[in-house]
Amino acid sequence: MFGTVVIGIGIAGSVRIRDLLNPLPSSPAEHLRLLGFVSRRPLGDVQKVKQISLQEAVDSKEVAAAIVCTDNQNHSETVRMFLEAGKHVLVEYPLALSAKEARELWELAEQKGKILHVEHIELLTEEYKQLKKEVAGKELVKGTLHFTGGALDEERSGFPAFSGIARLTWLVDLFGDLTVVSATREEQKERNYSRMTAQFQTAKKRPLTWIEERAPGMKRDKAINFCFTSGCLESLPEAPRSQVGIFMQDLILFAKKLLGQTSQEEVVAEKRRILLCLDLAEEIQRLCERPVNIYS
């Protein structure tokens, strides 16, 4: 059994506690035993799980693994703290708000011989699994992925290319290595409106566009338009709801790694994809934030 703590108890942290208390029967998740949770707020017991301090979680010899569900800005610091203490870590995306920090954390995990698992539940939805089947084997001509959603606190969540890295992960998982061609951002701060547009090329020089658009009250939605030599896919495929929740699926993936049930090839490919997405996110941010030269 792997003694486990949950760090942060917002929506995701609460779901993690629920799933740890009720693991899928006969699944690897049954090997995780919830010992407590950490929160900045004094909450007492939650679902009969005791609240402990961050230092207690780090110092405890019973704790073998930490699940990090804090604000994005705190991910790298919290992950580093637990890795240095010799704990395995599951962390919500993004792993860090810079590619350099992410690589340092992965190196630390490897030095310590610990599992570092970055949650990417967007790849586990039935909708995405069906989309991947429909895209498989087709030759892309051009494509667009346009996400809309409510406003974010960027100080806590990071630049849109990082806070929205789930969409970037879709594009890389579907179409392979990408190169950033250009990136721009429009902001209307009085409305808390933001629209980031990134242009990519695939390895075969095909154009892809990613738009991340946010404003207060804006409906959360994803629109696609992927054109292939065989025709265009203009809406996400319908898919039945999975009997196993996406957070539980992710918990099982983490437990399988802890139990040595994941191939080294899978681990290496996953790490490469995650770091590539962070490199791309950083390049997008750099291009959006570079000063504009005005010539007279």
Side-chain angles (χ1 to χ4, degrees), residues 26 43 59-60 106 117 135 142 241 275:
S26 302
L43 297 172
D59 293 341
S60 173
W106 230 294
H117 173 82
V135 168
K142 62 179 180 178
R241 187 169 181 172
L275 292 177

Side-chain angles (χ1 to χ4, degrees), residues 25-138:
S26 302
S27 78
E30 288 191 317
H31 291 268
L32 301 172
R33 181 165 63 93
L34 183 58
L35 300 178
F37 71 90
V38 174
S39 175
R40 291 170 298 191
R41 298 168 288 158
L43 297 172
D45 290 355
V46 171
Q47 299 182 57
K48 298 184 179 179
V49 180
K50 66 180 179 178
Q51 180 170 3
I52 61 176
S53 72
L54 182 61
Q55 200 58 51
E56 283 178 283
V58 169
D59 293 341
S60 173
K61 289 184 170 59
E62 290 183 47
V63 172
I67 298 179
V68 178
C69 307
T70 58
D71 293 336
N72 293 353
Q73 65 170 347
N74 297 324
H75 283 183
S76 60
E77 180 185 357
T78 308
V79 168
R80 184 181 298 277
M81 190 179 299
F82 280 98
L83 287 175
E84 287 178 341
K87 318 292 188 189
H88 304 288
V89 177
L90 183 163
V91 59
E92 294 184 315
Y93 68 76
L95 169 57
L97 295 180
S98 87
K100 180 175 181 288
E101 281 183 318
R103 282 182 165 77
E104 289 173 355
L105 292 172
W106 230 294
E107 288 172 9
L108 178 59
E110 290 167 356
Q111 288 168 10
K112 293 284 187 177
K114 297 301 171 184
I115 297 298
L116 174 56
H117 173 82
V118 184
E119 165 256 286
H120 276 289
I121 54 173
E122 73 279 5
L123 299 180
L124 303 177
T125 66
E126 293 306 305
E127 175 187 64
Y128 178 73
K129 291 173 186 176
Q130 187 60 38
L131 174 63
K132 190 167 182 178
K133 285 180 186 176
E134 295 202 18
V135 168
K138 294 180 179 176

Side-chain angles (χ1 to χ4, degrees), residues 129-171:
K129 291 173 186 176
Q130 187 60 38
L131 174 63
K132 190 167 182 178
K133 285 180 186 176
E134 295 202 18
V135 168
K138 294 180 179 176
E139 187 174 343
L140 183 73
V141 176
K142 62 179 180 178
T144 299
L145 171 57
H146 185 170
F147 174 84
T148 59
L152 284 178
D153 179 349
E154 289 189 25
E155 189 174 331
R156 295 166 61 186
S157 300
F159 188 79
F162 285 94
S163 61
I165 208 164
R167 270 69 70 188
L168 184 50
T169 301
W170 267 28
L171 293 176

Side-chain angles (χ1 to χ4, degrees), residues 131 134-135 138 224-228 231-237:
L131 174 63
E134 295 202 18
V135 168
K138 294 180 179 176
I224 64 166
N225 190 335
F226 296 144
C227 289
F228 305 94
C232 292
L233 187 59
E234 297 179 336
S235 61
L236 290 167

